[in-house]
């Protein structure tokens, strides 16, 4: 991966992390203040909705930090090592957690008339999409496992070749 690509990706990651921190520190409190004005029939939604929002942002931050670490490993040439799996596993877990949070939001909003049924259906569609992302990352993890195995095999063959020579 080229230096410019790594730099561009890091700029994007820093921007996203800064944006997520802005959401946590500024937007969530504003959302909480706005939700105080909810109809009294829907006050039970306030706390779970805010918790789901904050935890959703945290899952995104976890993914961003892990991607940063993986990019660092790519830059150093160490991504094809067993230590990369830790970050990939965390990414998969965070994406699945985000899907579960979205599903929890759908369950929270489904009863009553707080939102239209179509909105709940859209959220469920987003759950499927997020789980699809988790599956894509899982497939990429399998490719990483194959690459690590090939790298180990190549190192063994290189050592044997050096012994012969």
């Amino acid at each position: 991966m080229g230096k410019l690509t790594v730099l561009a990706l890091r700029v994007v990651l820093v921007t996203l992390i800064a944006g997520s921190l802005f959401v946590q520190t500024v937007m969530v409190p504003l959302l909480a203040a706005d939700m105080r004005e909810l109809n009294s029939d829907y006050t039970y939604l306030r706390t779970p909705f805010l918790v789901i929002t904050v935890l959703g942002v945290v899952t995104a931050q976890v993914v961003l930090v892990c991607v940063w670490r993986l990019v660092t490993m790519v830059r150093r040439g160490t991504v094809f090592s067993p230590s990369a799996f830790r970050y990939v596993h965390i990414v998969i877990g965070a994406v699945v957690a985000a899907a579960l949070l979205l599903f929890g939001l759908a369950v929270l909003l489904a009863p009553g008339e707080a939102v239209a049924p179509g909105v709940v259906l859209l959220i469920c569609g987003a759950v499927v999409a997020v789980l699809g992302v988790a599956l894509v990352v899982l497939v990429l993890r399998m490719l990483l496992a194959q690459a690590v195995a090939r790298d180990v095999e190549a190192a063994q063959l290189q050592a044997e070749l050096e012994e012969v020579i």
Side-chain angles (χ1 to χ4, degrees):
M1 189 179 285
K3 290 181 182 183
L4 187 58
T5 305
V6 169
L7 178 63
L9 183 54
R10 285 188 171 166
V11 167
V12 169
L13 292 172
V14 166
T15 304
L16 290 172
I17 289 172
S20 70
L21 290 172
F22 176 77
V23 167
Q24 281 179 321
T25 59
V26 176
M27 299 303 292
V28 170
L30 289 174
L31 180 62
D34 284 345
M35 291 185 80
R36 283 190 197 112
E37 301 169 9
L38 274 178
N39 184 337
S40 62
D41 295 338
Y42 303 121
T43 55
Y44 70 94
L45 294 174
R46 183 173 184 258
T47 302
F49 184 79
L50 292 172
V51 168
I52 288 171
T53 302
V54 169
L55 291 176
V57 172
V58 168
T59 61
Q61 290 171 334
V62 167
V63 169
L64 293 172
V65 169
C66 288
V67 169
W68 182 281
R69 293 294 302 146
L70 288 168
V71 168
T72 301
M73 292 179 81
V74 167
R75 183 88 173 107
R76 292 180 182 156
T78 59
V79 75
F80 296 117
S81 65
S83 60
F85 290 107
R86 172 179 35 175
Y87 299 111
V88 175
H89 292 156
I90 293 170
V91 167
I92 292 169
V95 172
V96 170
L100 291 174
L101 287 169
L102 269 175
F103 184 71
L105 180 64
V107 168
L108 180 70
L109 296 175
E113 296 180 18
V115 296
V119 172
V120 175
L121 187 60
L122 285 172
I123 293 171
C124 289
V127 169
V128 173
V130 172
L131 286 174
V133 170
L135 287 174
V136 168
V137 176
L138 182 63
V139 168
L140 293 174
R141 184 226 176 269
M142 291 178 198
L143 292 174
L144 178 63
Q146 288 179 352
V148 169
R150 296 285 188 272
D151 195 43
V152 168
E153 183 181 354
Q156 290 172 346
L157 291 173
Q158 182 68 31
E160 290 177 11
L161 184 61
E162 288 174 1
E163 286 179 12
V164 171
I165 295 177

